[in-house]
Amino acid sequence: MHLAYPAVLSALLFCTGLYGVLARRNAILVLMSVELMLNAVNLNLVAFDVWLSRAAEETLHSGQALTLFTIAIAAAEIGIGLAIVLAVYRNRGTADIDKLRDSAEAHGPDDTDGSDDTDGFDSSDGDDLTADRTGKAEATA
């Protein structure tokens, strides 16, 4: 078989995976697209290994060995990635990447100045916070 056939198929697979990474919103589909890109690289490695082994007198099959390492790393990557996506889905209720990005960057509705007050009182007006705490204690009593 000529080298052009697996090279063209590999290029098509890689472009399909790249489109999936750039266009998809679902995290699971993005992970599947990354796997498609890795499989395109594996196909290229094996094809070039077979092509180069015909030219060389000694066959080391280093492309096939590298492909096995790539498959092992891809399996670990997809396992960890899927665990992270499932944990995020359980906590946030969605696997949509844009919604996750928007919720991570958004501030609360009354946090317009970007201050880091955790007690709910505005400390920028110069009032003493101890007076606010005693007022809170009187309101609860």
Side-chain angles (χ1 to χ4, degrees):
M1 180 168 34
H2 199 267
L3 182 63
Y5 297 127
V8 168
L9 179 63
S10 176
L12 289 174
L13 284 174
F14 192 84
C15 290
T16 305
L18 185 64
Y19 173 75
V21 167
L22 296 176
R24 297 294 174 193
R25 303 289 183 234
N26 193 346
I28 303 266
L29 293 177
V30 170
L31 286 175
M32 288 174 61
S33 298
V34 169
E35 287 294 321
L36 194 62
M37 292 168 63
L38 285 173
N39 285 330
V41 170
N42 288 338
L43 178 64
N44 236 355
L45 282 171
V46 171
F48 276 100
D49 181 53
V50 170
W51 182 66
L52 289 175
S53 69
R54 289 182 187 163
E57 294 173 6
E58 294 180 9
T59 57
L60 296 175
H61 298 294
S62 57
Q64 293 178 10
L66 189 59
T67 298
L68 289 176
F69 285 120
T70 307
I71 290 171
I73 290 171
E77 175 259 334
I78 201 69
I80 292 171
L82 192 58
I84 290 171
V85 168
L86 287 175
V88 167
Y89 180 76
R90 285 181 184 164
N91 288 335
R92 303 271 176 102
T94 185
D96 190 6
I97 295 173
D98 287 337
K99 289 182 183 177
L100 294 175
R101 185 182 309 131
D102 291 342
S103 66
E105 293 175 356
H107 297 289
D110 49 300
D111 189 19
T112 57
D113 61 347
S115 64
D116 193 23
D117 284 341
T118 57
D119 58 357
F121 294 103
D122 187 19
S123 61
S124 63
D125 58 357
D127 291 340
D128 191 14
L129 288 178
T130 57
D132 290 336
R133 289 190 184 121
T134 57
K136 220 190 310 187
E138 289 174 5
T140 57

